């Protein structure tokens, strides 16, 4: 069975990637980065998801990006953008951009992969519901793949086959959800919100919630996770973008 | 004053890089990675060196590469190569190779640089006394630089000027030492050994000690750091490759 390192955040996209890898008969080595993010509940979600997919190994790797700061996700003095208009998303770099995050995470994935004798890294980025992050662009991913080939042992003999696999890259959020549902993904386990509370309730207002909710609307199904506003309105699981 | 992030290990090369950057009027942002390496005394050396160079900021960034293992420096079940013949160095990848280490360290340096509004990263690699690490090769460094340009905010507007500066790349170890001495570097503060003991004594036998000692011999000066074998022989500061 071919091994694949998967960067598993506990969100919708990386969980779908696990399902795709499983359907292609991969043995999953899950890597979850605990970067002291604001939304801590996400880590609990990742643990449950890894269990559900019966991964061969799951490393929760702590790395304190708060030492650098510079993002609303890693610096409490910077606010998470709220009430982002859906049309604004993707037009500028949001405050949630964490400098060099994907580069750091992918480098850690390369280390994990090389020590486990595999050269496959799977990543849940997508370029359609583009959120304005520079390190989600295909040009970056291709360049990183080339760099990874040079960075490793196999790179010296030029036998490296390092691959960054991005099965969701050209799918819309709605299509990702449809794909996941067809593979049996239980999206109630996943969390996406940047302002998750300690009970795992999503805010429904940040850019990440907006993209998720639009995706479920597009897929024509209800989002099964609880939203904080539902408590006020009593409309559990029915939250939609107005 | 231009700011420069410098990866400062506490070793001979990165200390020399600090001196070169200082001589070129840079304000130093030092980044030392505590990757749970075997040779812990190195971190103490880095702290003292940062103080001596009056750096603007020094971050000691902990990252537990023992979670991946796969190297004699991060896995206690793998021995550090001892009594390496000097002629063997550079002909194969040594057990001290830490998978993807430079890629991870450079990615962290990119994050540090971007959050501090600078695009200069200085690194003490050199390609002459090549130790067989894939991630010290110019091809890797060039590819990484290109990837970093794409990974960051400035990369989106294609205004990024990200630079990996490697002033020692084409110098021999002896020339590095001569350069450092001409800039007033006190090499007694630096540590290089992979098997440093808790008092900061070097083994004199590992590949790293061998390269260092050959460098001092080439430069025609004594290495001022203490070696463990000196205790036996009484020849403090006189240890040489036989």
């Amino acid at each position: 069975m071919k091994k694949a390192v998967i960067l598993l955040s506990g969100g919708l996209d990386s969980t779908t990637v696990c399902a795709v890898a499983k359907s292609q008969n991969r043995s999953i080595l899950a890597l979850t980065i605990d970067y002291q993010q604001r939304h801590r509940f996400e880590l609990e979600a990742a643990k449950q998801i890894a269990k559900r997919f019966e991964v061969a190994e799951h490393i929760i790797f702590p790395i304190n990006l708060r030492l650098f700061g510079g993002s609303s996700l890693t610096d409490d003095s910077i606010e998470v953008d709220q009430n982002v208009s859906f049309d604004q998303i993707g037009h500028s770099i949001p405050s949630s951009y964490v400098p060099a995050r994907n580069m750091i995470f992918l480098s850690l994935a390369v280390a994990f992969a090389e020590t486990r004798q595999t050269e496959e890294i799977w990543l849940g980025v997508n370029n359609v519901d583009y959120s304005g992050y520079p390190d989600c662009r295909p040009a970056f991913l291709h360049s990183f793949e080339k760099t990874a080939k040079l960075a490793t042992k196999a790179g010296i003999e030029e036998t490296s086959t390092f691959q960054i696999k991005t099965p969701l890259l050209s799918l819309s959020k709605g299509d990702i959800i449809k794909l996941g549902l067809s593979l049996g993904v239980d999206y109630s386990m996943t969390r996406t919100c940047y302002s998750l509370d300690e009970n795992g309730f999503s805010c429904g207002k940040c850019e990440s919630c907006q993209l998720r909710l639009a995706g479920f609307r597009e897929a024509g199904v209800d989002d099964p996770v609880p939203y904080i506003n539902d408590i006020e309105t009593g409309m559990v699981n029915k939250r939609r973008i107005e």
Side-chain angles (χ1 to χ4, degrees), chain A:
Chain A
M1 218 172 173
K2 214 168 176 181
K3 287 181 281 189
V5 167
I6 300 183
L7 277 166
L8 174 65
S9 69
L12 185 155
D13 296 328
S14 62
T15 304
T16 307
V17 168
C18 284
V20 175
K22 205 83 184 173
S23 77
Q24 290 180 25
N25 221 19
R26 295 298 193 279
S27 166
I28 298 176
L29 305 170
L31 178 60
T32 300
I33 315 289
D34 173 3
Y35 60 101
Q36 295 287 312
Q37 57 269 62
R38 215 183 260 260
H39 41 310
R40 308 288 300 160
F41 191 92
E42 200 184 59
L43 297 174
E44 290 311 310
K47 281 183 207 168
Q48 295 308 316
I49 293 158
K51 242 184 233 168
R52 181 73 67 95
F53 281 101
E54 296 175 334
V55 303
E57 189 174 355
H58 185 203
I59 290 185
I60 311 245
F61 197 98
I63 175 169
N64 186 4
L65 292 182
R66 286 180 184 265
L67 287 170
F68 300 137
S71 161
S72 62
L73 300 194
T74 57
D75 186 337
D76 290 335
S77 70
I78 302 173
E79 297 248 343
V80 173
D81 299 327
Q82 291 286 345
N83 296 317
V84 179
S85 135
F86 190 67
D87 296 335
Q88 285 167 355
I89 296 174
H91 288 289
S92 62
I93 297 170
S95 72
S96 58
Y97 167 65
V98 179
R101 180 175 56 181
N102 274 357
M103 202 169 193
I104 296 168
F105 290 7
L106 280 169
S107 297
L108 291 169
V110 170
F112 190 21
E114 193 175 12
T115 55
R116 301 303 186 267
Q117 289 83 48
T118 177
E119 296 198 313
E120 257 189 37
I121 294 172
W122 293 56
L123 187 67
V125 290
N126 75 88
N127 197 39
V128 173
D129 288 329
Y130 171 59
S131 59
Y133 293 165
D135 51 359
C136 287
R137 295 176 301 158
F140 163 74
L141 296 165
H142 290 144
S143 187
F144 185 91
E145 188 177 74
K146 200 181 146 211
T147 307
K149 278 186 179 142
L150 290 164
T152 50
K153 274 191 188 183
I156 287 202
E157 288 100 30
E158 296 182 359
T159 58
S160 174
T161 57
F162 241 103
Q163 265 191 301
I164 312 290
K165 291 180 86 89
T166 54
L168 314 183
L169 195 65
S170 52
L171 298 184
S172 70
K173 200 63 104 183
D175 285 339
I176 292 169
I177 292 165
K178 281 189 229 167
L179 171 64
L181 291 173
S182 77
L183 295 168
V185 171
D186 173 5
Y187 284 113
S188 73
M189 302 180 84
T190 67
R191 289 298 183 278
T192 300
C193 176
Y194 288 148
S195 297
L196 266 183
D197 74 9
E198 68 272 25
N199 299 313
F201 280 72
S202 302
C203 76
K205 293 176 177 175
C206 68
E207 76 219 59
S208 198
C209 278
Q210 300 257 5
L211 285 171
R212 180 181 171 113
L213 286 163
F216 275 96
R217 192 171 50 176
E218 185 195 334
V221 288
D222 283 346
D223 182 356
V225 307
Y227 285 85
I228 194 88
N229 293 336
D230 298 336
I231 298 174
E232 292 155 25
T233 61
M235 289 176 61
V236 178
N237 297 347
K238 297 291 178 198
R239 175 86 174 79
R240 289 281 186 282
I241 293 178
E242 276 83 43

